[in-house]
Amino acid sequence: MKSILRLDRRSYKEQKALMGFFYVLPWLLGFIFFFLIPLLSSLRYSLSSVQANSDGLIVHFSGFQNYAEALTVNTEFNRSLADAIMNMVINVPLIVIFSLFLAVLLNQKFIGRSLARSIFFLPVILASGVILSLESTSLIQAVNDQNAGAGAIQGLGTFELEGLMLDAGLSEWVVNYLTSAVSRIYSIVSQSGVQILIFLAGIQTISPQLYEASKMEGATGYEAFWKITFPMVSPLILVNSIYTIIDSFSNNAMTDLIRETGFTQFNFGLSSAMAWLYFAAVALILAVSSYLISKKVFYYD
Amino acid sequence: MHATRLLSLERWKKWIWSFVRLTLIAGLSFVILYPVLQKISTAFKAKSDLYSPIVVWLPENYTLDNFVKAIGIMDYWQALLNTFTLSALTTILTAISCALAGYGFARLKFKGSQLLFAGVILTILVPPITILIPVYLNLKDFSLMGLIPLLTGGKSVNLLNTYWPFILTSATANSLKAGLYIFIFRQFFRGIPKEVEEAAYIDGAGVGKTFYRIMLPNAIPSIVTVLLFSFVWQWNDSFFTTTYLTSSKVMATQLGSLPYNLAILLEDGANSKADPFYLSMVQDTGILLAILPLIIIYLFVQRYFVESIERTGIVG
């Protein structure tokens, strides 16, 4: 009885704090059981030699042996990691810039805007998980591209573009980067669904008065973009870059290798060590890129 | 005179920009839709059309043979039912637990809630592969801190090949990409004015009632976003399903093994001499069948986040 009375006498703030804990509790349980403990035991496996037999696991501490093996002995690890990072470095800027551009485009008023938006968000559904991985191996698609002449036309197009830009005096590296982006347009579009959604949401929260005022002062649309839209969505550029980096790291040759080491060769120690090295690489890249971007980010309030 | 010329120049600029925009959007839409159209066209083609030089898009001989084959091999209806059950179950549980956690983090501050939210961010950052093995082993001998062996008499339960891994992780907001959903909900609830909540409290509503009667009805756009994302990503997920559900028939695993099973049916195993193009054709049909339900669902819910994205809570 006494305790119930005490509960009644709690202030609104205390009551909210207590309820807050209960609301977060399911997540907290899951966090401890399905995240924190596994994370720590994965760290432990990575520092041990693990043998599985019918009685369970035998774990022997072995220092950094697994890490050394992953980095120096295993033939695939370094290459896959470098590949994953290279792909990320190439794709992330393209995806972020491209999705910002499209979001601006889709925010303008034109006929068929809803239809265009529905189509541009479609990759969120179509290009995820197993479908994406199967699609990349589709022979039919490859053959049809050839038959329809699409490949030839596209190739020709980028080839001419390349010559044009080289003549214009751009460095070869930039030209190659851009033309390869044009040829990979589908993979870029299909990875930017969520990012377009985020940018579009951000652009719609910018107050229209800013644009009106700038128009009064005689700013062109181009200036309005660089002076208003760009600074206002710059926090979202950070968010989107991080999201894109995480997304590009969630499923690639590297994760396949870690998985195979763990579940086909049953080398849990090595697999965990690889996973931790991978995580360290991802964390490093995230830290560096978010530091670089957040220096440029503009916060309105 | 000068003014009218300027006006017409402006007009020209506007027209040219509209034209450029139309071209870009139409072109990119085509790029996005191309693989789907390609699959639809392939699915209706007969085997002979594959090598016919005059067939590009429209098949010469329409046939439903590919569909029959793909449905038969994938055990489509069973897989559809299983996948739908699994996705719907995890989606609903995830949405509930993430909404609770999101609201807790956004509005019901308590000591250490900032620190716990850092934990949410951590779950987003750590690649799932890093914790896959311990979680797998844990689920294989699931003992819940030694509680279950007490009840069953010294035996832990093997939860693999059941839906329990998915139910447990989604009910505790730790399923696939759940950190992202908590983040979305938190951002959204932070955007609702505090006064609304205080008014509800003055009128005698407790925290629970405020959440249920005031906050949730306001949060429909973000709920739809989370429901759709979670459903779709669970549907297409092959990362967890191939680990936890090795022998159960769900869409992702059935789709993944479709070429192999087809090769077995046609000839004799993976190294068969069956025509790879034909295999690819049936596989494309299978993919089409797998995404068809998603496209139908998308048609119904797309208006929620096509026209009211600013209220989905992604940005707050």
Side-chain angles (χ1 to χ4, degrees), chain A residues 75-87:
Chain A
T75 48
E76 278 182 71
F77 181 79
N78 288 332
R79 197 159 44 90
S80 309
L81 188 62
D83 270 0
I85 292 172
M86 271 309 287
N87 274 336

Side-chain angles (χ1 to χ4, degrees), chain B residues 146-163:
Chain B
L147 274 178
I148 289 178
L150 286 180
L151 294 174
T152 56
K155 257 184 162 182
S156 53
V157 203
N158 183 356
L159 292 184
L160 294 176
N161 272 328
T162 64
Y163 288 166

Side-chain angles (χ1 to χ4, degrees), chain A residues 19-34:
Chain A
M19 285 303 280
F21 184 70
F22 282 122
Y23 275 50
V24 174
L25 193 63
W27 170 80
L28 186 61
L29 287 176
F31 178 71
I32 292 170
F33 285 113
F34 296 111

